[in-house]
Amino acid sequence: MPLRIIFMGTPDFAVPTLAALAEAGHEVVAVYTQPPRPGGRRGLDLQKSPVHQAAELLGAPVLTPVDFKDPADRQRFRGFDADVAVVVAYGLLLPEEILSGTRHGCYNGHASLLPRWRGAAPIQRAIMAGDSETGMMVMKMDKGLDTGPVALTKRVAIGEAMTAGELHDRLMHVGASLMKEAMAKLEAGDLTLTPQPEEGVVYAAKITKDETRIDFSKPAREVHNHIRGLSPFPGAWFELVTAGRIERTKVLGSELAEGTGKPGTVLDEALTIACSEGAVRPTRLQRAGGKALPTAEFLRGTPVATGSRIA
């Protein structure tokens, strides 16, 4: 028999999983997502989340509670009489009454190899740390932060030039396939759970604005990992003096390069920049309010002299 599923998710990362479960023939009895937020060009229009829009196309009921403190919201959740809840990047902490509010509990699609990178930003943190691989895991949720037992795992290699955006797009499809497999096993009564090891726990803290500025006093590989780990959002950046004023410039791509010099020094006309060890060369840049451009095209409009310093 197909499962009665409550789906809980918000960003585009979660949409393929919702679609995969529906395509597998499961009954999506309700979709929970974050409430509409101000957006649009002037930030005045309320924008439904990507999961909200996808759920409407499926014809599934959509609920957008701010939290689950209201007993009526918890009762409504249990009233769907669901077999299981599937959670992917929902964005709300779930109280125990929700975690136990279906026959089989809640299963989460998490973008890391747990227990490494528990928390909010596992994709970015894995790249920023220079990890060579990550993956998707289907985990049965408990009251801890990504501490529940693991059902299925799929490992994914992280290329040396891969950005967080590219890894995000790879993992969201891997995660959809893995959750579809997990729910098929759950339906058949053949889903095995394995407790997470106690060793190797690392937390993936939310990315903050004060860590997005590029620090060229670090080794080139760390700078390169920092850049690609924050691309395309929120974007690592440095400051250029353009037409007599300081302008923030995002670096959306980079490559390791040869060269030495005082950290932050521009070494050549291709904008190779010295670090404490080695150098990096930005490959894609974006001025504030402008569009992302290949570095050569960017430099045609904004020349940067060899020997100048990047802050």
Side-chain angles (χ1 to χ4, degrees):
M1 293 290 292
L3 296 172
R4 289 175 57 83
I5 293 176
I6 294 173
F7 186 83
M8 311 178 85
T10 298
D12 57 358
F13 186 83
V15 171
T17 301
L18 173 59
L21 295 174
E23 290 168 4
H26 298 297
E27 183 182 0
V28 180
V29 297
V31 172
Y32 281 75
T33 189
Q34 290 283 304
R37 308 291 190 197
R41 294 190 57 143
R42 293 184 294 172
L44 300 177
D45 300 324
L46 289 178
Q47 304 286 314
K48 296 177 180 178
S49 76
V51 164
H52 192 144
Q53 296 174 53
E56 289 184 334
L57 292 175
L58 290 175
V62 180
L63 296 95
T64 59
V66 175
D67 53 41
F68 286 96
K69 294 180 181 179
D70 188 337
D73 287 326
R74 299 196 293 270
Q75 184 176 358
R76 186 178 298 115
F77 184 92
R78 300 182 73 91
F80 285 111
D81 190 33
D83 293 309
V84 65
V86 170
V87 184
V88 181
Y90 179 35
L92 282 183
L93 292 175
L94 302 182
E96 289 190 59
E97 191 171 344
I98 297 299
L99 294 175
S100 61
T102 67
R103 275 179 281 279
H104 296 290
C106 297
Y107 283 82
N108 176 236
H110 185 75
S112 82
L113 298 176
L114 293 167
R116 184 168 177 81
W117 303 126
R118 292 174 176 171
I123 294 175
Q124 294 94 330
R125 294 296 178 189
I127 293 179
M128 292 168 74
D131 291 2
S132 61
E133 70 170 357
T134 186
M136 286 296 304
M137 283 187 157
V138 173
M139 167 195 67
K140 186 171 185 181
M141 298 174 71
D142 59 19
K143 63 182 180 179
L145 177 62
D146 299 328
T147 55
V150 174
L152 294 176
T153 300
K154 178 70 173 180
R155 293 178 177 271
V156 173
I158 303 176
E160 289 196 359
M162 182 178 278
T163 65
E166 291 166 343
L167 183 56
H168 167 283
D169 292 352
R170 173 85 174 104
L171 289 175
M172 70 180 185
H173 295 293
V174 170
S177 177
L178 199 66
M179 187 62 75
K180 179 180 176 181
E181 180 183 352
M183 292 301 101
K185 287 179 174 292
L186 182 66
E187 182 183 359
D190 189 33
L191 189 64
T192 302
L193 299 174
T194 304
Q196 293 184 35
E198 296 182 4
E199 302 79 23
V201 175
V202 182
Y203 287 95
K206 183 179 179 180
I207 304 296
T208 61
K209 290 182 179 179
D210 61 5
E211 62 181 317
T212 54
R213 185 170 190 159
I214 299 170
D215 182 0
F216 292 105
S217 69
K218 294 182 177 180
R221 185 166 292 280
E222 288 187 28
V223 173
H224 174 59
N225 292 342
H226 181 250
I227 290 168
R228 63 196 186 96
L230 297 179
S231 175
F233 182 83
W237 57 274
F238 57 66
E239 289 181 337
L240 279 177
V241 178
T242 305
R245 61 189 178 91
I246 297 175
E247 188 170 78
R248 181 176 295 192
T249 303
K250 286 186 179 182
V251 185
L252 301 178
S254 64
E255 60 188 10
L256 296 172
E258 295 183 357
T260 58
K262 191 170 183 178
T265 302
V266 177
L267 301 177
D268 57 29
E269 294 181 354
L271 199 61
T272 302
I273 305 170
C275 302
S276 64
E277 297 175 15
V280 294
R281 183 179 299 117
T283 58
R284 196 163 184 82
L285 298 166
Q286 184 178 22
R287 299 172 67 172
K291 65 178 182 178
L293 298 170
T295 297
E297 187 175 343
F298 177 91
L299 292 174
R300 283 197 288 271
T302 309
V304 181
T306 300
S308 60
R309 294 288 303 281
I310 301 290

